[in-house]
Amino acid sequence: MRNLSEPTGQLDPPFAVVDLEAFQHNAAELATRAAGKPIRLATKSIRCRELLRRALATPGYAGLMCYSLGEALWLHSTGLSDDILVAYPTADRAALRELAADPSAAAAITLMVDSAEHLDFIEAATGPEHPDIRVCLEVDASWRPLPGVHVGTRRSPVHSVRQARRTAEDLLRRSGFRLVGLMAYEGQIAGLGDAPRGRPLYGAVLRQVQRRSRAELVERRAAVVEAVRSLAPLEFVNGGGTGSLESTSAEAAVTEVAAGSGLIGPTLFDEYRAFRPRPALVYALPVVHRPNRNTATVFSGGYIASGPPGPSRMPTPVWPPGLRLTATEGAGEVQTPLVGRAARRLRIGDRVWFRHAKAGELAERFTHYHLVSGQRLLPAVPTYRGEGCSFG
């Protein structure tokens, strides 16, 4: 990352900064990798309306993929998009009633389902006479090479062509629902870096697993889409993520891909061979303790990313270079001690810059992002939290 201390010199840390040049570079790179397939923007990786607006204005992007129905309703009400897919099934009764009562929202928002139980829940929340609700069928994209072996995310129970056809038939028999899309997210390919630092053997095994999983999925996804399309004229088939844009966009059965994290460039994406985004979002913390000549302790900093606990989910000090977390304290809620050669030169009030392991979760920690373009500091923009919204 480039040093952003000069344009942000008037700010008191803690604060978070978006490097707009890196953000726009990443957006353009993702569009190039998608090779003409439209990118549906994954909002959970951004969680800032101004950044979502900027991304949607980039050629190659169309529509939003939200992580909750409440978020989708809010973004639609602000006029940000009239093409919104909710990526996860909802159990929010109040939001479902709001959707059913708003014809404009109902025409713009598509819900995710994978079973008749989801349809039952929606009907129970909205009443049997609810207007037509747009739904997308989620298909499990995980790899199951042997009985009892599951490689990938645990989401939809629909895995086979037969299960997809049967679920689609059940859905189409229900009044008040319109099947408009199909989604299959290959997390074991798109969400795992294939070049993990310091683990060459694991990386080689992972790449082999991903190759075999991709080969199986290409055939199965095409067959699933063909089976479902024979029952309903699908508007879209969504797949992929930042880590698999090239391979997923090459599939004829897929009409659009999804991406979000690649615009931000968190540290987890430093471990991909095909694409390494520029760090676009960083945050600064002030030194508040000097417990000894070899240690500098900064205020706050315990922004641990979700997922399996471990070093990869920890924030990373990146400026000045030569700093690292301690093994005994790590990144703490109210203080984070740092050691390394650069720690000796730090003084009270100095800044240390960090990167987060994931793209969107930092927005839950800050009410605003400061924007930097070149060496100019632009007005700060609110995150979801800064607008009084939290959908996690």
Side-chain angles (χ1 to χ4, degrees):
M1 60 160 277
R2 65 190 183 98
N3 189 355
L4 299 174
S5 293
E6 183 176 341
T8 61
Q10 62 184 307
L11 303 176
D12 287 327
F15 60 82
V17 178
V18 175
D19 182 344
L20 289 178
E21 290 183 0
F23 183 84
Q24 292 299 156
H25 168 84
N26 293 341
E29 285 291 301
L30 289 171
T32 298
R33 292 175 60 216
K37 291 282 174 75
I39 298 175
R40 187 178 290 274
L41 189 59
T43 60
K44 79 177 184 67
S45 299
I46 310 295
R47 306 188 205 191
C48 171
R49 279 201 298 142
E50 173 60 19
L51 295 181
L52 292 173
R53 184 193 66 77
R54 287 174 179 266
L56 286 175
T58 304
Y61 290 77
L64 299 177
M65 176 182 283
C66 291
Y67 61 100
S68 84
L69 177 55
E71 179 202 18
L73 289 164
W74 175 60
L75 291 178
H76 175 261
S77 73
T78 68
L80 188 63
S81 177
D82 60 1
D83 178 10
I84 303 176
L85 172 64
V86 182
Y88 306 89
T90 184
D92 188 336
R93 295 180 178 86
L96 284 168
R97 289 192 289 269
E98 183 179 346
L99 176 71
D102 184 342
S104 177
I109 296 172
T110 302
L111 301 183
M112 192 66 61
V113 299
D114 60 34
S115 66
E117 188 176 0
H118 283 140
L119 306 182
D120 294 339
F121 187 93
I122 294 170
E123 285 195 342
T126 61
E129 302 304 319
H130 63 78
D132 278 358
I133 291 176
R134 295 168 54 88
V135 296
C136 174
L137 173 62
E138 180 170 13
V139 175
D140 176 36
S142 65
W143 186 41
R144 301 180 184 179
L146 297 170
V149 176
H150 183 106
V151 181
T153 57
R154 288 171 172 81
R155 294 171 56 140
S156 171
V158 180
H159 186 269
S160 68
V161 176
R162 180 181 179 184
Q163 289 172 323
R165 176 185 288 276
R166 185 170 63 245
T167 305
E169 289 172 342
D170 290 345
L171 192 157
L172 292 168
R173 282 194 289 266
R174 302 281 287 266
S175 62
F177 296 97
R178 190 153 64 91
L179 179 59
V180 298
L182 186 145
M183 186 185 85
Y185 169 62
E186 56 269 38
Q188 73 277 15
I189 303 171
L192 291 177
D194 60 355
R197 288 188 298 268
R199 305 170 69 188
L201 181 58
Y202 172 77
V205 172
L206 177 60
R207 289 190 292 273
Q208 177 64 18
V209 168
Q210 289 177 331
R211 281 193 293 269
R212 297 181 64 182
S213 174
R214 183 181 294 113
E216 183 275 336
L217 179 60
V218 168
E219 293 188 8
R220 177 162 55 90
R221 181 153 47 194
V224 166
V225 171
E226 182 180 5
V228 176
R229 279 197 187 280
S230 69
L231 303 172
L234 299 177
E235 295 177 13
F236 64 87
V237 176
N238 182 279
T242 291
S244 68
L245 285 188
E246 289 95 343
S247 60
T248 308
S249 62
E251 295 182 40
V254 174
T255 66
E256 63 176 39
V257 290
S261 296
L263 282 84
I264 297 297
T267 58
L268 283 175
F269 279 83
D270 292 347
E271 299 187 344
Y272 285 76
R273 295 189 305 168
F275 172 63
R276 183 165 294 179
R278 294 180 183 176
L281 174 61
V282 292
Y283 61 99
L285 302 177
V287 175
V288 292
H289 284 300
R290 287 304 315 272
N292 57 57
R293 68 188 299 266
N294 297 315
T295 307
T297 302
V298 297
F299 175 74
S300 185
Y303 310 149
I304 311 301
S306 61
S312 68
R313 262 53 184 184
M314 301 286 278
T316 302
V318 292
W319 192 273
L323 295 172
R324 65 181 186 277
L325 305 176
T326 67
T328 53
E329 291 193 52
E333 181 184 10
V334 293
Q335 72 166 37
T336 298
L338 300 167
V339 295
R341 65 180 185 276
R344 297 184 179 186
R345 300 192 299 271
L346 293 172
R347 297 294 178 262
I348 300 299
D350 286 350
R351 300 173 179 179
V352 175
W353 293 89
F354 289 77
R355 292 171 62 200
H356 200 272
K358 284 198 168 182
E361 295 177 15
L362 194 63
E364 303 295 341
R365 299 287 185 167
F366 290 93
T367 60
H368 288 76
Y369 284 159
H370 295 273
L371 306 182
V372 170
S373 177
Q375 290 300 310
R376 292 188 304 122
L377 180 65
L378 304 182
V381 296
T383 61
Y384 282 11
R385 179 180 176 183
E387 297 199 68
C389 296
S390 179
F391 305 102

